[in-house]
Amino acid sequence: MSTMLPPSSSSGTATAPATATAPAQEPRETADASEATRSTAATDPRGAEARTAAPWGTDPYANALRNGRGPLFLRRSDGWLLPLEVERWCSDAGAADLSALHRCEGPVLDIGCGPGRLVAELTALGHRALGIDVSEAAVARTRRIGGSALLRSVFDPLPGEGRWGTLLLVDGNIGIGGDPAALLDRAADLLSTGGLLIAETSPLDIDERAQVRLDDGRRAPAEKSGPPGPADRPFPWARIGTPALLRYAGACGWRPADQWSAEGRAFVSLRCPRRPRRPVRERSARTSSQSAESANSTPVISSQLER
């Protein structure tokens, strides 16, 4: 399976294999970023360890994807549970999904692609699309249903940085890393100037950050025996509504493009600000540091539950 990457300014459309090989004749900075991706995956045991130990790579999430159903929750330290919509993620793209996908422009990067319904649908619609996720089960399922995907965190060096036409942060993925401002900053590195970010927000007017962990609801934490595993380790997450996202975006120079709702889900699209391009080595060092902090917080999540 080949992964279609954004065209470089000098070479037009290019194709790269799923191992994140850089497009031919692409700008030097993008080639460096792709090389950093391969080097991190191949030689840096800390990066591989972070992805292996991430809660999203553990049995509760992987089992839910394999079975195509939950129960699966995010549990806060106070015991509050956020149900995750595994059945919807493992189904075909619905009307609300299509309302976002039909707004996509150019090559599309789906951040936290989960089981891959959006990447597969974009591919069927004729878009060049790539999904990234820290879950091996999610990446495998995405490829199995016809999409292209890489085992990466959004904070890892990625192919095509600065050349993507659209980024997707749906199913609650605006909460990745528990820091919306940092995620918007990273998104601006990935998009071309004027590129489109499509984010799903909570229908509630909230701006919440919390430490959460995955929970399959089968046993209460007190009933679990043995030492805590990766799935028991808390990680940062955020839930934000449209007003909060627009505040963060405005402070970072993003321009609102559209707002809409479909089937009870809320969406916002934003235009990427013009910004000086950072040298690749600087971006790689910064994103590698963030990846170590955020490796536990990457795939898809629903944000549609009141407290």
Side-chain angles (χ1 to χ4, degrees), residues 131-185:
I132 57 170
D133 207 296
V134 296
S135 164
E136 291 185 0
V139 169
R141 192 179 189 282
T142 299
R143 293 174 175 173
R144 190 165 61 249
I145 65 174
S148 296
L150 296 175
L151 186 67
R152 298 287 186 274
S153 161
V154 65
F155 296 109
D156 286 336
L158 294 172
E161 294 201 15
R163 296 189 283 123
W164 294 98
T166 302
L167 301 185
L168 294 177
L169 284 168
V170 301
D171 297 326
N173 279 334
I174 191 64
I176 287 173
D179 188 343
L183 187 56
L184 287 171
D185 185 60

Side-chain angles (χ1 to χ4, degrees), residues 38 105 236:
R38 293 194 298 275
E105 304 169 357

Side-chain angles (χ1 to χ4, degrees), residues 111-243:
I111 298 170
C113 64
R117 76 187 190 284
L118 302 184
V119 177
E121 183 67 24
L122 284 164
T123 302
L125 291 172
H127 282 276
R128 289 173 293 142
L130 173 68
I132 57 170
D133 207 296
V134 296
S135 164
E136 291 185 0
V139 169
R141 192 179 189 282
T142 299
R143 293 174 175 173
R144 190 165 61 249
I145 65 174
S148 296
L150 296 175
L151 186 67
R152 298 287 186 274
S153 161
V154 65
F155 296 109
D156 286 336
L158 294 172
E161 294 201 15
R163 296 189 283 123
W164 294 98
T166 302
L167 301 185
L168 294 177
L169 284 168
V170 301
D171 297 326
N173 279 334
I174 191 64
I176 287 173
D179 188 343
L183 187 56
L184 287 171
D185 185 60
R186 176 60 176 147
D189 283 344
L190 298 172
L191 279 171
S192 59
T193 299
L196 196 65
L197 170 65
I198 297 177
E200 182 176 355
T201 60
S202 172
L204 307 175
D205 185 6
I206 59 172
D207 184 357
E208 176 185 273
R209 306 185 194 193
Q211 293 286 319
V212 299
R213 63 175 183 81
L214 285 170
D215 193 316
D216 60 11
R218 296 180 182 179
R219 289 184 296 170
E223 298 174 349
K224 294 185 178 181
S225 59
D232 300 310
R233 196 171 64 238
F235 57 93
W237 202 262
R239 292 196 308 148
I240 62 173
T242 296

Side-chain angles (χ1 to χ4, degrees), residues 3-166:
T3 301
M4 300 296 290
L5 297 179
S8 70
S9 58
S10 61
S11 61
T13 302
T15 303
T19 52
T21 303
Q25 299 179 5
E26 65 183 347
R28 181 67 256 163
E29 64 175 23
T30 305
D32 287 345
S34 298
E35 182 61 35
T37 303
R38 293 194 298 275
S39 299
T40 298
T43 64
D44 186 348
R46 293 172 300 176
E49 180 182 357
R51 279 184 286 276
T52 301
W56 296 106
T58 57
D59 286 345
Y61 183 64
N63 288 342
L65 294 192
R66 292 189 193 102
N67 296 329
R69 63 181 183 275
L72 191 66
F73 307 89
L74 287 184
R75 177 186 286 271
R76 267 192 335 221
S77 58
D78 61 5
W80 177 84
L81 296 174
L82 173 68
L84 305 182
E85 299 181 74
V86 178
E87 290 85 352
R88 178 170 66 78
W89 302 343
C90 292
S91 300
D92 293 337
D97 298 321
L98 292 174
S99 75
L101 300 188
H102 287 159
R103 288 171 163 84
C104 290
E105 304 169 357
V108 183
L109 180 65
D110 184 7
I111 298 170
C113 64
R117 76 187 190 284
L118 302 184
V119 177
E121 183 67 24
L122 284 164
T123 302
L125 291 172
H127 282 276
R128 289 173 293 142
L130 173 68
I132 57 170
D133 207 296
V134 296
S135 164
E136 291 185 0
V139 169
R141 192 179 189 282
T142 299
R143 293 174 175 173
R144 190 165 61 249
I145 65 174
S148 296
L150 296 175
L151 186 67
R152 298 287 186 274
S153 161
V154 65
F155 296 109
D156 286 336
L158 294 172
E161 294 201 15
R163 296 189 283 123
W164 294 98
T166 302

Side-chain angles (χ1 to χ4, degrees), residues 237-263:
W237 202 262
R239 292 196 308 148
I240 62 173
T242 296
L245 177 56
L246 292 177
R247 287 194 299 271
Y248 286 116
C252 299
W254 292 77
R255 294 183 290 108
D258 200 2
Q259 300 177 44
W260 72 97
S261 60
E263 297 186 324

